[in-house]
Amino acid sequence: MARIVMKFGGTSMAGMERIRNVANRVKAEVARGNEVAVVVSAMAGETDRLVGFCKEASALYDPAEYDVVVASGEQVTSGLLAMTLKAMGVDARSWLGWQIPIRTVETHAKARIESIDSETLIAAMKAGQVAVIPGFQGMMDDGRISTLGRGGSDTSAVAVAAAVKADRCDIYTDVDGVYTTDPRIVSRARKLGKVTYEEMLELASVGSKVLQTRSVALAMKERVRVQVLSSFDEPGDNPEPGTLIVSEEEIEGSDMERQLITGIAHDKNEAKIVLTRVPDRPGIVASIFGPLADAAINVDMIIQNVGHSGIVTDVTFTVPRSDVARSIDVLEREKPVIGFESIITDAEVAKVSVVGVGMRSHAGVAAMMFKTLAERGINIEAISTSEIKVSVLIDEDETELAVRVLHTAYGLDG
Ligand code: ASP
Ligand code: MG
């Protein structure tokens, strides 16, 4: 017997037929003798619709009332699922955020979970009752409803799994797992059986949007074993057909033949900014990135060349595409302080990253990447690395080619 938290996203909850499918999956998990809590999203599109109403009501809507409105989508699906389960003869009840309670802190509309009272939930689960919990919502100290920010149900599920000490948190979504790369680009991409928290964080942050990044960080912190799987596959006999996101130790013990590189991600959401002829003296870099940080603009890759004359240099960096206009604004304002000559921007770039914990103990991963791209005449415009990731910035038009040749070069083709 195991204790399982199952989470179903918006597409899995969109309409009664799909909710009945979800109920069947939950029933099968209960029939296997497991204790089950279910965390649900609102029906696909519903939260957008509710947000739309708020904007219509008032351009400067009150975030506390916004939470009251948008949290309702999950209240509907949790009630419907509990009802459907009971009609199928499965004991179940809904537990709204304030009833458990799931206590949150900081601000409305982007609250953070502080604690979850797990006693009652665990008692109900032990008694064989399925606990159906609306994702995305919690309660502030003053008793008011809060929500966690868009996509927050993944985080709710992981937090509930941590609180009830679940053996696994199964996240059912519209893809059947995490792949070595985007299967729409590389048809020979393989589904990964296991991936580490660290790798998943890197893959998520560079464009594999299977899970909300925040939920992966929480899973890593709380050591929650997460499984991503499809809610549209035939249930079958195998209870673990998706991708498991677990600690490095768990993987090392089980998979000696692991590849050096786990996956290749791409991200077309960044743009490149070059500041030309910046004075090469102490404090200049701070004068560029300080104001950008103050404007909450997230800078990713940074290159500063050594100036030939020792007097001026170019500084290149990337920011989210949606922040280019604001970045230019900030930099133009600071021009007298920074003293650059011109700003050149290029949004037609893509970041391609190879990710794998294996590279910690192996040399040559980056060299292989550069060589592989060079052989295809792909120019590298910027580079950044972490302990388990090498990223390059290239021309957007070459993204698919780069991903494909790298997938082959690192032996990932299935
Ligand atoms: N329903 C919320 C949203 O669409 C939360 C979630 O589904 O994760 O953002
Ligand atoms: Mg989601």
Side-chain angles (χ1 to χ4, degrees):
M1 190 212 70
R3 184 174 293 163
I4 311 282
V5 171
M6 305 170 82
K7 188 261 168 176
F8 293 91
T11 40
S12 317
M13 299 302 289
M16 282 318 301
E17 194 188 325
R18 291 189 181 175
I19 291 180
R20 261 190 296 277
N21 280 337
V22 165
N24 274 317
R25 271 178 203 281
V26 174
K27 185 177 181 178
E29 202 65 77
V30 172
R32 277 195 277 269
N34 293 329
E35 293 174 8
V36 179
V38 189
V39 175
V40 295
S41 281
M43 295 191 196
E46 179 63 6
T47 311
D48 286 340
R49 196 174 75 95
L50 297 169
V51 171
F53 286 139
C54 294
K55 288 182 176 157
E56 244 183 83
S58 155
L60 289 172
Y61 51 75
D62 174 3
E65 300 302 352
Y66 164 95
D67 279 350
V68 172
V69 176
V70 299
S72 68
E74 274 79 4
Q75 172 161 341
V76 171
T77 47
S78 57
L80 288 173
L81 178 58
M83 231 180 248
T84 308
L85 283 166
K86 287 168 91 146
M88 286 178 175
V90 179
D91 188 15
R93 77 153 271 191
S94 63
W95 293 91
L96 300 182
W98 58 270
Q99 294 170 332
I100 297 174
I102 295 176
R103 292 185 186 279
T104 65
V105 288
E106 278 155 33
T107 39
H108 280 284
K110 42 183 178 210
R112 197 163 50 75
I113 296 177
E114 189 179 51
S115 66
I116 298 180
D117 250 339
S118 55
E119 246 167 74
T120 12
L121 280 185
I122 291 175
M125 290 168 80
K126 277 192 170 153
Q129 188 179 59
V130 174
V132 184
I133 301 164
F136 186 46
Q137 62 171 254
M139 183 188 89
M140 291 292 189
D141 263 353
D142 60 3
R144 300 205 65 179
I145 291 177
S146 56
T147 65
L148 306 181
R150 299 304 306 274
S153 300
D154 291 339
T155 300
S156 304
V158 171
V160 167
V164 303
K165 301 194 167 48
D167 297 284
R168 215 171 59 228
C169 179
D170 285 344
I171 303 215
Y172 288 86
T173 174
D174 43 12
V175 297
D176 64 351
V178 180
Y179 279 73
T180 49
T181 196
D182 187 343
R184 286 167 303 184
I185 294 182
V186 181
S187 57
R188 284 182 293 177
R190 286 179 296 111
K191 187 167 80 183
L192 293 160
K194 287 181 180 171
V195 49
T196 70
Y197 298 119
E198 290 88 343
E199 288 168 333
M200 193 62 204
L201 275 176
E202 292 283 18
L203 290 169
S205 69
V206 287
S208 316
K209 290 185 183 47
V210 184
L211 292 181
Q212 198 200 27
T213 312
R214 197 172 138 200
S215 69
V216 183
L218 182 63
M220 176 157 109
K221 178 166 158 270
E222 299 288 340
R223 299 274 129 179
V224 174
R225 302 173 72 242
V226 174
Q227 181 177 218
V228 174
L229 61 181
S230 165
S231 58
F232 299 107
D233 279 356
E234 279 302 309
D237 296 333
N238 182 359
E240 293 195 7
T243 300
L244 269 175
I245 305 163
V246 292
S247 69
E248 206 169 328
E249 299 81 64
E250 183 170 338
I251 290 187
E252 270 169 2
S254 68
D255 197 355
M256 308 267 291
E257 298 292 317
R258 219 160 172 263
Q259 301 278 359
L260 182 57
I261 294 303
T262 302
I264 295 169
H266 69 279
D267 182 2
K268 295 182 178 178
N269 291 315
E270 284 186 36
K272 185 178 76 167
I273 297 181
V274 184
L275 293 183
T276 66
R277 301 185 65 82
V278 176
D280 193 3
R281 59 175 156 72
I284 282 300
V285 170
S287 75
I288 298 170
F289 296 109
L292 290 172
D294 292 343
I297 293 167
N298 222 335
V299 174
D300 181 28
M301 307 170 111
I302 300 175
I303 317 175
Q304 189 201 334
N305 301 325
V306 177
H308 290 298
S309 54
I311 306 167
V312 290
T313 177
D314 291 350
V315 178
T316 303
F317 55 93
T318 62
V319 298
R321 272 186 201 180
S322 53
D323 283 338
V324 172
R326 270 194 329 122
S327 303
I328 294 174
D329 210 46
V330 169
L331 294 164
E332 286 292 359
R333 220 179 322 121
E334 298 293 325
K335 190 170 180 177
V337 184
I338 307 169
F340 57 87
E341 187 176 275
S342 61
I343 304 177
I344 303 167
T345 61
D346 181 1
E348 264 93 72
V349 289
K351 186 168 69 170
V352 173
S353 310
V354 298
V355 174
V357 290
M359 71 174 77
R360 254 189 217 137
S361 50
H362 284 266
V365 169
M368 177 162 194
M369 183 179 200
F370 305 152
K371 180 168 164 274
T372 306
L373 296 175
E375 280 165 4
R376 293 303 178 117
I378 298 171
N379 190 37
I380 298 171
E381 301 180 32
I383 303 165
S384 71
T385 65
S386 80
E387 223 187 347
I388 65 165
K389 180 189 75 173
V390 184
S391 301
V392 295
L393 196 70
I394 60 172
D395 190 323
E396 183 179 8
D397 292 340
E398 293 173 322
T399 315
E400 284 75 17
L401 174 65
V403 169
R404 230 175 276 131
V405 295
L406 290 170
H407 199 265
T408 304
Y410 288 105
L412 294 174
D413 288 349

Coordinates of all heavy atoms in Angstrom, one line a residue, residues 39-101:
V39 N -5.5 16.5 -6.3 CA -5.5 17.9 -6.4 C -5.9 18.3 -7.9 O -5.4 17.7 -8.8 CB -4.0 18.5 -6.1 CG1 -4.0 20.0 -6.4 CG2 -3.6 18.2 -4.7
V40 N -6.8 19.2 -8.0 CA -7.3 19.5 -9.4 C -7.2 20.9 -9.8 O -7.1 21.8 -8.9 CB -8.8 19.1 -9.5 CG1 -9.0 17.6 -9.3 CG2 -9.7 19.9 -8.4
S41 N -7.0 21.1 -11.1 CA -7.1 22.5 -11.7 C -8.5 22.8 -12.1 O -9.4 21.9 -12.1 CB -6.2 22.5 -13.0 OG -4.9 22.6 -12.7
A42 N -8.7 24.1 -12.4 CA -10.0 24.5 -13.0 C -10.0 23.9 -14.4 O -9.0 23.5 -15.0 CB -10.0 26.0 -13.0
M43 N -11.2 23.8 -15.0 CA -11.4 23.4 -16.4 C -10.5 24.3 -17.3 O -10.4 25.5 -17.0 CB -12.8 23.5 -16.8 CG -13.7 22.5 -16.0 SD -15.4 22.4 -16.8 CE -16.3 21.6 -15.5
A44 N -9.9 23.7 -18.3 CA -9.0 24.5 -19.2 C -9.8 25.7 -19.7 O -10.9 25.6 -20.1 CB -8.6 23.6 -20.4
G45 N -9.1 26.8 -19.6 CA -9.7 28.1 -20.1 C -10.5 28.8 -19.1 O -10.7 30.0 -19.2
E46 N -10.9 28.2 -18.0 CA -11.8 28.8 -17.0 C -11.1 29.9 -16.3 O -11.6 31.0 -16.1 CB -12.3 27.7 -16.1 CG -13.2 28.2 -15.0 CD -14.5 28.8 -15.5 OE1 -14.8 28.8 -16.7 OE2 -15.3 29.4 -14.7
T47 N -9.8 29.7 -15.9 CA -9.1 30.7 -15.1 C -8.9 32.0 -16.0 O -9.1 33.1 -15.5 CB -7.8 30.2 -14.6 OG1 -8.0 29.0 -13.9 CG2 -7.2 31.2 -13.6
D48 N -8.6 31.8 -17.2 CA -8.5 32.9 -18.2 C -9.8 33.7 -18.2 O -9.8 34.9 -18.2 CB -8.1 32.4 -19.6 CG -6.7 32.0 -19.7 OD1 -5.9 32.4 -18.9 OD2 -6.4 31.2 -20.7
R49 N -10.9 33.0 -18.3 CA -12.2 33.6 -18.4 C -12.5 34.4 -17.1 O -12.9 35.6 -17.2 CB -13.3 32.5 -18.5 CG -14.6 33.0 -19.0 CD -15.6 31.8 -19.2 NE -16.0 31.2 -18.0 CZ -17.2 31.5 -17.4 NH1 -18.0 32.4 -17.9 NH2 -17.6 31.0 -16.2
L50 N -12.1 33.9 -16.0 CA -12.4 34.6 -14.7 C -11.5 35.8 -14.6 O -11.9 36.8 -14.1 CB -12.1 33.6 -13.5 CG -13.1 32.4 -13.5 CD1 -12.6 31.4 -12.4 CD2 -14.5 32.9 -13.2
V51 N -10.2 35.6 -15.0 CA -9.3 36.8 -15.0 C -9.9 37.9 -15.9 O -9.9 39.1 -15.5 CB -7.9 36.4 -15.5 CG1 -7.0 37.6 -15.7 CG2 -7.2 35.4 -14.5
G52 N -10.5 37.5 -17.0 CA -11.1 38.5 -17.9 C -12.2 39.3 -17.2 O -12.3 40.5 -17.4
F53 N -13.0 38.6 -16.5 CA -14.1 39.3 -15.7 C -13.5 40.3 -14.8 O -14.0 41.4 -14.7 CB -14.9 38.3 -14.9 CG -15.9 37.5 -15.8 CD1 -16.0 36.1 -15.5 CD2 -16.6 38.0 -16.8 CE1 -16.9 35.3 -16.3 CE2 -17.4 37.3 -17.6 CZ -17.6 35.9 -17.3
C54 N -12.4 39.9 -14.1 CA -11.8 40.9 -13.1 C -11.4 42.1 -13.8 O -11.6 43.2 -13.3 CB -10.6 40.2 -12.4 SG -11.1 38.8 -11.4
K55 N -10.7 42.0 -15.0 CA -10.2 43.1 -15.7 C -11.3 44.0 -16.2 O -11.2 45.2 -16.2 CB -9.4 42.6 -16.9 CG -8.0 42.1 -16.5 CD -7.2 41.6 -17.7 CE -5.8 41.1 -17.2 NZ -5.2 40.3 -18.3
E56 N -12.5 43.3 -16.6 CA -13.6 44.1 -17.0 C -14.2 44.9 -15.8 O -14.7 46.0 -16.0 CB -14.7 43.1 -17.5 CG -15.0 43.3 -19.0 CD -16.1 42.4 -19.4 OE1 -17.3 42.7 -19.2 OE2 -15.8 41.2 -19.9
A57 N -14.2 44.3 -14.7 CA -14.8 44.9 -13.5 C -14.1 46.2 -13.1 O -14.7 47.2 -12.8 CB -14.8 43.9 -12.3
S58 N -12.7 46.1 -13.2 CA -11.9 47.3 -12.8 C -10.5 47.1 -13.3 O -9.9 46.0 -13.0 CB -12.0 47.4 -11.3 OG -10.8 48.1 -10.9
A59 N -10.0 48.1 -14.0 CA -8.6 47.9 -14.5 C -7.6 47.7 -13.3 O -6.7 47.0 -13.4 CB -8.2 49.2 -15.3
L60 N -7.9 48.4 -12.2 CA -7.1 48.3 -11.0 C -7.8 47.4 -10.0 O -8.1 47.9 -8.9 CB -6.7 49.6 -10.4 CG -5.8 50.5 -11.3 CD1 -5.7 51.9 -10.7 CD2 -4.4 49.9 -11.3
Y61 N -8.1 46.2 -10.3 CA -8.9 45.4 -9.4 C -8.2 45.1 -8.1 O -6.9 45.0 -8.1 CB -9.4 44.1 -10.1 CG -8.3 43.3 -10.7 CD1 -7.4 42.6 -10.0 CD2 -8.1 43.3 -12.1 CE1 -6.3 41.9 -10.6 CE2 -7.1 42.6 -12.7 CZ -6.2 41.9 -12.0 OH -5.2 41.2 -12.6
D62 N -8.9 44.9 -7.1 CA -8.4 44.5 -5.7 C -7.9 43.1 -5.8 O -8.7 42.2 -6.0 CB -9.5 44.7 -4.7 CG -9.1 44.3 -3.3 OD1 -8.0 43.8 -3.2 OD2 -10.0 44.3 -2.4
P63 N -6.6 42.8 -5.5 CA -6.1 41.5 -5.6 C -6.8 40.5 -4.7 O -6.9 39.3 -5.0 CB -4.6 41.6 -5.2 CG -4.3 43.1 -5.4 CD -5.6 43.8 -5.2
A64 N -7.3 40.9 -3.5 CA -8.0 40.0 -2.6 C -9.3 39.5 -3.2 O -9.6 38.4 -3.1 CB -8.2 40.7 -1.3
E65 N -10.0 40.4 -3.9 CA -11.2 40.0 -4.6 C -10.9 39.2 -5.8 O -11.7 38.3 -6.2 CB -12.1 41.3 -4.9 CG -12.5 42.1 -3.7 CD -13.3 41.4 -2.6 OE1 -13.7 40.2 -2.8 OE2 -13.5 41.9 -1.5
Y66 N -9.8 39.6 -6.5 CA -9.4 38.8 -7.7 C -9.2 37.3 -7.2 O -9.7 36.4 -7.9 CB -8.1 39.3 -8.2 CG -7.3 38.4 -9.1 CD1 -7.4 38.5 -10.5 CD2 -6.4 37.5 -8.6 CE1 -6.6 37.7 -11.4 CE2 -5.6 36.7 -9.4 CZ -5.7 36.8 -10.8 OH -5.0 36.0 -11.6
D67 N -8.6 37.1 -6.1 CA -8.4 35.7 -5.6 C -9.8 35.0 -5.3 O -9.9 33.8 -5.6 CB -7.6 35.7 -4.3 CG -6.1 35.8 -4.6 OD1 -5.7 35.7 -5.8 OD2 -5.3 36.0 -3.7
V68 N -10.7 35.8 -4.8 CA -12.1 35.2 -4.6 C -12.7 34.7 -5.9 O -13.2 33.6 -6.0 CB -13.0 36.3 -3.9 CG1 -14.4 35.7 -3.8 CG2 -12.5 36.7 -2.5
V69 N -12.5 35.5 -6.9 CA -13.0 35.2 -8.2 C -12.3 34.0 -8.9 O -12.9 33.0 -9.2 CB -13.0 36.4 -9.2 CG1 -13.5 36.0 -10.6 CG2 -13.9 37.5 -8.6
V70 N -11.0 34.1 -9.0 CA -10.2 33.1 -9.8 C -10.1 31.8 -9.1 O -10.0 30.7 -9.7 CB -8.8 33.6 -10.3 CG1 -9.0 34.8 -11.2 CG2 -7.9 33.8 -9.1
A71 N -10.2 31.8 -7.7 CA -10.1 30.5 -7.0 C -11.4 29.7 -7.2 O -11.4 28.5 -6.9 CB -10.0 30.8 -5.5
S72 N -12.4 30.3 -7.7 CA -13.7 29.5 -7.9 C -13.6 28.4 -8.9 O -14.3 27.4 -8.8 CB -14.8 30.5 -8.2 OG -14.6 31.0 -9.5
G73 N -12.7 28.6 -9.9 CA -12.6 27.5 -10.9 C -12.3 26.2 -10.4 O -12.9 25.1 -10.7
E74 N -11.4 26.2 -9.4 CA -11.0 24.9 -8.8 C -12.0 24.4 -7.8 O -12.1 23.2 -7.5 CB -9.6 25.1 -8.1 CG -8.4 24.9 -9.0 CD -8.1 26.1 -9.9 OE1 -8.7 27.1 -9.8 OE2 -7.1 25.9 -10.7
Q75 N -12.8 25.3 -7.2 CA -13.9 24.9 -6.3 C -14.9 24.1 -7.1 O -15.3 23.0 -6.6 CB -14.5 26.1 -5.7 CG -15.8 25.7 -4.9 CD -16.2 26.8 -3.9 OE1 -15.4 27.7 -3.5 NE2 -17.4 26.7 -3.4
V76 N -15.2 24.5 -8.3 CA -16.1 23.8 -9.1 C -15.6 22.4 -9.5 O -16.3 21.4 -9.3 CB -16.4 24.6 -10.4 CG1 -17.2 23.8 -11.4 CG2 -17.1 25.9 -10.1
T77 N -14.4 22.3 -9.9 CA -13.9 21.0 -10.4 C -13.7 20.0 -9.2 O -13.9 18.8 -9.3 CB -12.6 21.1 -11.2 OG1 -11.7 21.9 -10.5 CG2 -12.8 21.6 -12.6
S78 N -13.3 20.6 -8.0 CA -13.1 19.6 -6.9 C -14.5 19.1 -6.4 O -14.6 17.9 -6.1 CB -12.4 20.3 -5.7 OG -13.0 21.5 -5.3
G79 N -15.5 19.9 -6.4 CA -16.8 19.5 -6.0 C -17.3 18.4 -7.0 O -17.9 17.4 -6.6
L80 N -17.2 18.7 -8.3 CA -17.7 17.8 -9.3 C -17.0 16.5 -9.3 O -17.6 15.4 -9.4 CB -17.5 18.4 -10.7 CG -18.4 19.6 -11.1 CD1 -18.0 20.2 -12.4 CD2 -19.9 19.1 -11.1
L81 N -15.7 16.5 -9.0 CA -14.9 15.2 -9.0 C -15.4 14.4 -7.7 O -15.6 13.2 -7.9 CB -13.4 15.5 -9.0 CG -12.6 14.2 -8.9 CD1 -12.9 13.2 -10.0 CD2 -11.1 14.5 -8.8
A82 N -15.5 15.1 -6.6 CA -15.9 14.3 -5.4 C -17.3 13.7 -5.6 O -17.6 12.5 -5.3 CB -15.9 15.3 -4.2
M83 N -18.2 14.5 -6.2 CA -19.5 14.0 -6.5 C -19.5 12.8 -7.4 O -20.2 11.8 -7.2 CB -20.2 15.1 -7.3 CG -21.6 15.6 -6.8 SD -22.0 16.9 -8.0 CE -22.0 18.3 -6.9
T84 N -18.7 12.9 -8.5 CA -18.6 11.8 -9.5 C -18.0 10.5 -8.8 O -18.5 9.4 -9.1 CB -17.7 12.2 -10.6 OG1 -18.1 13.5 -11.1 CG2 -17.7 11.2 -11.8
L85 N -17.0 10.7 -8.0 CA -16.4 9.5 -7.3 C -17.5 8.9 -6.4 O -17.6 7.6 -6.4 CB -15.3 10.0 -6.4 CG -14.0 10.3 -7.2 CD1 -13.0 11.0 -6.3 CD2 -13.3 9.0 -7.7
K86 N -18.3 9.7 -5.7 CA -19.3 9.1 -4.8 C -20.3 8.3 -5.6 O -20.8 7.2 -5.2 CB -19.9 10.2 -3.9 CG -19.0 10.7 -2.9 CD -19.5 11.9 -2.2 CE -20.3 11.6 -1.0 NZ -20.2 12.6 0.1
A87 N -20.7 8.9 -6.7 CA -21.7 8.2 -7.6 C -21.1 6.9 -8.1 O -21.9 6.0 -8.4 CB -22.0 9.1 -8.8
M88 N -19.8 6.8 -8.1 CA -19.2 5.5 -8.6 C -18.9 4.6 -7.4 O -18.3 3.5 -7.5 CB -17.8 5.8 -9.2 CG -17.9 6.4 -10.6 SD -16.2 6.7 -11.1 CE -16.4 7.2 -12.7
G89 N -19.4 5.0 -6.2 CA -19.2 4.1 -5.0 C -17.8 4.3 -4.3 O -17.4 3.4 -3.5
V90 N -17.1 5.4 -4.7 CA -15.9 5.6 -4.0 C -16.1 6.7 -3.0 O -16.6 7.8 -3.3 CB -14.8 6.1 -5.0 CG1 -13.5 6.4 -4.3 CG2 -14.6 5.1 -6.1
D91 N -15.7 6.5 -1.7 CA -15.9 7.5 -0.7 C -14.9 8.6 -1.0 O -13.7 8.4 -1.2 CB -15.6 6.8 0.7 CG -15.9 7.8 1.8 OD1 -16.6 8.8 1.6 OD2 -15.4 7.5 3.0
A92 N -15.5 9.8 -1.0 CA -14.6 11.0 -1.3 C -15.3 12.3 -0.7 O -16.5 12.3 -0.5 CB -14.5 11.2 -2.8
R93 N -14.5 13.3 -0.5 CA -15.0 14.6 -0.2 C -14.0 15.7 -0.6 O -12.8 15.5 -0.7 CB -15.4 14.8 1.3 CG -14.3 15.0 2.3 CD -14.7 15.8 3.5 NE -14.6 17.3 3.3 CZ -14.7 18.2 4.3 NH1 -15.0 17.8 5.5 NH2 -14.6 19.5 4.0
S94 N -14.6 16.9 -0.9 CA -13.7 18.0 -1.2 C -13.3 18.7 0.0 O -14.0 18.7 1.0 CB -14.5 19.0 -2.1 OG -15.6 19.5 -1.4
W95 N -12.1 19.2 -0.1 CA -11.5 20.0 1.0 C -11.0 21.3 0.4 O -9.9 21.4 -0.2 CB -10.3 19.3 1.7 CG -10.6 18.1 2.4 CD1 -10.6 16.8 1.9 CD2 -10.9 18.0 3.8 NE1 -11.0 15.9 2.9 CE2 -11.2 16.6 4.1 CE3 -11.1 18.9 4.8 CZ2 -11.5 16.1 5.3 CZ3 -11.4 18.4 6.1 CH2 -11.6 17.1 6.3
L96 N -11.7 22.4 0.6 CA -11.3 23.7 0.1 C -10.1 24.2 0.9 O -9.8 23.8 2.0 CB -12.4 24.7 0.1 CG -13.7 24.3 -0.7 CD1 -14.7 25.4 -0.6 CD2 -13.3 24.0 -2.1
G97 N -9.3 25.1 0.2 CA -8.1 25.6 0.8 C -8.2 26.1 2.3 O -7.4 25.7 3.2
W98 N -9.3 26.8 2.5 CA -9.5 27.4 3.9 C -10.0 26.3 4.9 O -10.0 26.5 6.1 CB -10.5 28.5 3.8 CG -11.9 28.2 3.3 CD1 -12.2 28.3 1.9 CD2 -13.0 27.8 4.0 NE1 -13.5 28.0 1.8 CE2 -14.0 27.6 3.0 CE3 -13.3 27.5 5.3 CZ2 -15.3 27.2 3.4 CZ3 -14.6 27.1 5.7 CH2 -15.6 26.9 4.7
Q99 N -10.5 25.2 4.4 CA -11.0 24.2 5.3 C -9.9 23.3 5.8 O -10.1 22.7 6.9 CB -12.1 23.3 4.5 CG -13.3 24.1 4.2 CD -14.3 23.3 3.2 OE1 -13.8 22.5 2.5 NE2 -15.5 23.6 3.3
I100 N -8.8 23.2 5.1 CA -7.7 22.2 5.5 C -7.0 22.8 6.7 O -6.9 22.0 7.7 CB -6.8 21.9 4.3 CG1 -7.6 21.2 3.2 CG2 -5.6 21.1 4.8 CD1 -6.8 21.0 2.0
P101 N -6.5 24.0 6.9 CA -6.3 24.9 5.8 C -4.9 24.8 5.2 O -4.0 24.3 5.8 CB -6.5 26.2 6.6 CG -5.9 26.0 8.0 CD -6.2 24.5 8.2

